[in-house]
Amino acid sequence: MVAKTATIVFSLVLLVLESQPKPSADYLLLDEDEDDNPEVRRSPEDRANIFSRLTYSWISSLIAKGYETPLQANDVYKLGHKYRPDVAAEEFQYNWKKECNSGRPSLVKALVKTYFVKWTAIAWIKLLAELLGFLDPIILWHLIGFVSAYGTPLGEPIENGYFYAISMTLVTTLETVVQSQHSMLAERLECLMKSSIKTAIYRKTLVLSNDSRQKHNIGSIISHMTSDGTRVMNA
């Protein structure tokens, strides 16, 4: 009993601490070496708490401004440090070099080594969303049975009806939140992978020999960076 109480209290304390905005000073050292445009604003997502991230309320101010007036380039938030092309491609470049040195390079293996953890996390989130999707009809079936039998000798207590209604609301809301988080994380992972592949192709073009440059013109190189990089993600 004491252990359960301590666990609940500890969880509530963590929830309260997580709900507080993060201090901006913790995020200023990431981009100190950048030649930033001072007019570009930092993303409030960096300091958003867990509730703001789940509901996307951190971007409400930008949406409201875009509703009132057309957005300009300076209105858009600055790209996060980990989403910069050079940062996103760093780990992929390391794994790709290892594949090239192995004698049998595989792009799939390099991508798996780089993004396996993110893939796994997104897969678990998708599984949770699917499980919640199966749970919703089950609760609805119980709720319909309660309403049909209410007031009869076979009817359930009124407390069960409240439980079914509240459970259905919570499950539907949670399913929506989890599904939206899955979509957002999947889109971000796709952007990271595209950025890594395109950056790798661009870096390769910088070290091409004169003979290689004669075999591959600028058009084919740009096609590799844009069309072919996208096709790899869609495969």
Side-chain angles (χ1 to χ4, degrees), residues 84-118:
R84 287 173 41 189
D86 55 337
V87 177
E90 184 176 355
E91 186 177 358
F92 172 76
Q93 285 289 106
Y94 173 77
N95 291 320
W96 177 241
K97 288 180 179 179
K98 290 178 62 177
E99 286 295 319
C100 293
N101 295 333
S102 65
R104 299 182 62 183
S106 172
L107 179 61
V108 176
K109 290 183 179 180
L111 290 173
V112 170
K113 291 179 180 179
T114 306
Y115 301 107
F116 177 77
V117 176
K118 292 184 176 64

Side-chain angles (χ1 to χ4, degrees), residues 163-177:
F163 173 76
Y164 296 145
I166 294 174
S167 299
M168 186 173 180
T169 302
L170 293 178
V171 168
T172 303
T173 303
L174 184 59
E175 180 187 1
T176 302
V177 171

